[in-house]
């Protein structure tokens, strides 16, 4: 059976639309919002206005790239939450209207589950290796940091999470302290390649079980930079590469420690990473290295499926479609997790 699913994503600052034919990607169009750069972070009101401008053109482009007519679509899936409410409203309203006008099912998707399910998107005839159930997924984004036990496409349990800042936020806030542009994660990743990760030591947060905390790290980094600048006003410029490498190291060490513990305690050796921070080159290296040492089978998403994209929303929608899990026209967006 041929199923065509349109996915739309508008939870934060990327407007995206994608088309999948069963589990195979035909198109994944992303419009980034440059407007936030000069503010050093996402401005919610500006984000929802930009989604409003982008949503129709990205859907149009996705259908064209996929080479299908809208009448061929089997269902419309969209991000219902978590995210910024004004941003989610745009994708939700669009998807409700589109599904209604085409008289096809509407499918709500949880953004964090979709990040994980991105591992199941296939691209060409040669099927890639996908995680075997149950697996653990370290889901690391700008808004969330979770260790998730994934038992089926639909059955997932968060076994560890951050109690304050997300890993992406830790990257972004450290970058902001150093005067680097938003989003800071990719900037730190780039500069860290030229730096010494052992030059500066920052305390690793101590949290019970598989939970995380990153807000203390941000504060100690802020004080460390403040003291450095007192002694030398050029402290940041002179040491930027080492600062990036050192802060990146402590964030990744923290993430990996809990992931190792979770694997030990659950006995699960199928390990995946997902979300925007999984684009980080060092965490990718560390996962492969740790996997080799611990006998894990590791799964690293392709770059295009790490940061926010609609292909992940469409694949999550596809598995719900197979299960006849549809939403009705009364559905409203939700700022928090919908599962
Ligand atoms: O998943 P995502 O696109 O959006 C949310 O759902 O939040 O993640 C965005 C986050 C930002 O904090 C960004 O700085 C971070 O992912 N990020 C990175 C890298 N690329 C994106 N962090 C570290 N290294 C990267 N290469
Ligand atoms: Zn995301």
């Amino acid at each position: 059976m041929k199923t065509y699913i349109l996915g739309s994503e508008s939870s934060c600052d990327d407007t995206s639309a994608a088309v999948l034919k069963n589990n195979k990607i035909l198109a994944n169009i992303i419009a980034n919002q440059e407007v936030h750069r000069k503010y050093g972070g996402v401005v919610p009101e500006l984000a929802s206005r930009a989604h409003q401008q982008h949503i129709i053109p990205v859907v149009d482009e996705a259908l064209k790239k996929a080479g299908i007519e809208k009448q061929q679509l089997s269902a419309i899936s969209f991000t219902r939450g978590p995210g910024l409410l004004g941003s989610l409203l745009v994708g939700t309203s669009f998807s409700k209207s589109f599904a209604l006008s085409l008289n096809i099912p509407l499918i709500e998707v949880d953004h964090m589950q979709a990040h994980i399910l991105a591992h199941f998107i296939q691209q060409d005839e040669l099927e890639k290796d996908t995680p075997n159930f149950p697996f653990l997924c370290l889901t690391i984004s700008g808004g969330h940091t979770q260790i998730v036990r994934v038992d089926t496409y639909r059955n997932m349990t968060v076994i560890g999470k951050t109690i304050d800042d997300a890993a992406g936020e830790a990257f972004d806030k450290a970058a902001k302290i150093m005067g680097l542009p938003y989003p800071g994660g990719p900037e730190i990743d780039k500069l860290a390649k030229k730096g010494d990760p052992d030059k500066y030591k920052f305390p690793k947060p101590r949290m019970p079980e598989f939970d995380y905390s990153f807000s203390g790290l941000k504060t100690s980094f802020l004080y460390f930079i403040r003291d450095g600048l007192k002694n030398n006003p050029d402290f940041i410029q002179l040491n930027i590469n080492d600062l990036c490498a050192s802060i990146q190291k402590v964030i990744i060490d923290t993430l990996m420690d809990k992931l190792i513990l979770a694997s030990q305690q659950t006995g699960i050796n199928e390990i995946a990473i997902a979300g925007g921070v999984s684009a980080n080159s060092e965490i990718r290296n560390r996962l492969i290295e740790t996997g080799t040492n611990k006998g894990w089978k590791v799964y690293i998403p392709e770059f295009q499926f790490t940061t926010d994209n609609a292909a992940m929303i469409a694949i999550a929608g596809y598995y719900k479609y197979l299960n006849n899990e549809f939403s009705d026209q009364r559905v409203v967006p939700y700022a928090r997790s919908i599962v």
Side-chain angles (χ1 to χ4, degrees), residues 2-110:
K2 262 190 234 155
T3 304
Y4 291 101
I5 309 280
L6 176 89
S8 81
E9 155 63 29
S10 72
S11 67
C12 190
D13 60 340
D14 296 306
T15 321
S16 179
V19 179
L20 249 58
K21 180 180 172 185
N22 297 338
N23 61 351
K24 291 213 168 58
I25 187 169
L26 299 181
N28 185 35
I29 309 296
I30 304 173
N32 303 117
Q33 302 181 359
E34 284 304 316
V35 63
H36 307 287
R37 266 193 168 247
K38 63 175 181 274
Y39 299 100
V42 178
V43 184
E45 178 63 28
L46 296 178
S48 38
R49 287 187 210 185
H51 284 305
Q52 194 76 29
Q53 286 170 338
H54 293 157
I55 188 92
I56 306 249
V58 296
V59 169
D60 214 32
E61 202 180 327
L63 288 169
K64 282 203 184 90
K65 172 126 196 266
I68 64 159
E69 298 297 326
K70 57 181 184 288
Q71 289 78 8
Q72 289 174 266
L73 289 171
S74 318
I76 309 290
S77 63
F78 68 99
T79 309
R80 184 180 165 214
L84 301 168
L85 205 61
S87 291
L88 292 166
L89 259 171
V90 177
T92 306
S93 308
F94 169 82
S95 302
K96 284 166 74 170
S97 323
F98 205 31
L100 188 66
S101 70
L102 295 169
N103 196 22
I104 54 175
L106 176 68
I107 303 171
E108 68 193 71
V109 165
D110 181 90

Side-chain angles (χ1 to χ4, degrees), residues 111 115 141-143 168 171-172 183-186 189 275-277 279-280 306-308:
H111 181 89
H115 268 302
S141 70
F171 272 104
D172 295 340
D189 189 359
V277 182
N280 183 273
T306 55
T307 47
D308 290 348

Side-chain angles (χ1 to χ4, degrees), residues 44-268:
E45 178 63 28
L46 296 178
S48 38
R49 287 187 210 185
H51 284 305
Q52 194 76 29
Q53 286 170 338
H54 293 157
I55 188 92
I56 306 249
V58 296
V59 169
D60 214 32
E61 202 180 327
L63 288 169
K64 282 203 184 90
K65 172 126 196 266
I68 64 159
E69 298 297 326
K70 57 181 184 288
Q71 289 78 8
Q72 289 174 266
L73 289 171
S74 318
I76 309 290
S77 63
F78 68 99
T79 309
R80 184 180 165 214
L84 301 168
L85 205 61
S87 291
L88 292 166
L89 259 171
V90 177
T92 306
S93 308
F94 169 82
S95 302
K96 284 166 74 170
S97 323
F98 205 31
L100 188 66
S101 70
L102 295 169
N103 196 22
I104 54 175
L106 176 68
I107 303 171
E108 68 193 71
V109 165
D110 181 90
H111 181 89
M112 297 312 292
Q113 290 203 344
H115 268 302
I116 297 173
L117 293 174
H119 280 282
F120 296 94
I121 301 169
Q122 296 292 349
Q123 302 215 61
D124 18 60
E125 293 316 310
L126 210 62
E127 298 249 321
K128 75 169 181 212
D129 211 9
T130 55
N132 298 298
F133 300 116
F135 66 93
L136 294 180
C137 188
L138 175 66
T139 316
I140 35 182
S141 70
H144 294 81
T145 294
Q146 303 174 334
I147 298 178
V148 184
R149 183 194 156 108
V150 187
D151 285 290
T152 66
Y153 297 113
R154 298 283 301 113
N155 190 356
M156 305 186 195
T157 315
V158 176
I159 61 169
K161 60 181 182 324
T162 180
I163 59 147
D164 43 52
D165 290 352
E169 250 174 310
F171 272 104
D172 295 340
K173 286 179 176 173
K176 198 169 180 178
I177 293 168
M178 293 184 283
L180 296 173
Y182 176 85
E187 298 289 328
I188 291 184
D189 189 359
K190 200 169 64 196
L191 297 171
K193 290 197 172 91
K194 297 176 274 179
D196 173 6
D198 297 313
K199 175 90 177 274
Y200 305 111
K201 297 268 179 260
F202 300 105
K204 270 202 269 178
R206 284 182 197 281
M207 292 296 296
E209 295 247 87
F210 315 132
D211 282 345
Y212 292 108
S213 164
F214 287 104
S215 73
L217 180 63
K218 173 198 66 192
T219 313
S220 72
F221 189 66
L222 180 70
Y223 289 155
F224 178 77
I225 295 283
R226 194 191 57 186
D227 293 346
L229 288 173
K230 260 190 218 149
N231 295 329
N232 180 355
D234 294 329
F235 177 70
I236 296 178
Q237 289 89 321
L238 289 174
N239 300 291
I240 188 81
N241 297 337
D242 296 337
L243 285 167
C244 287
S246 302
I247 192 75
Q248 176 172 281
K249 180 173 191 296
V250 66
I251 296 171
I252 294 177
D253 282 350
T254 308
L255 291 170
M256 290 305 299
D257 284 356
K258 293 300 176 97
L259 187 59
I260 292 167
L261 191 68
S263 165
Q264 274 164 357
Q265 293 204 5
T266 57
I268 297 174

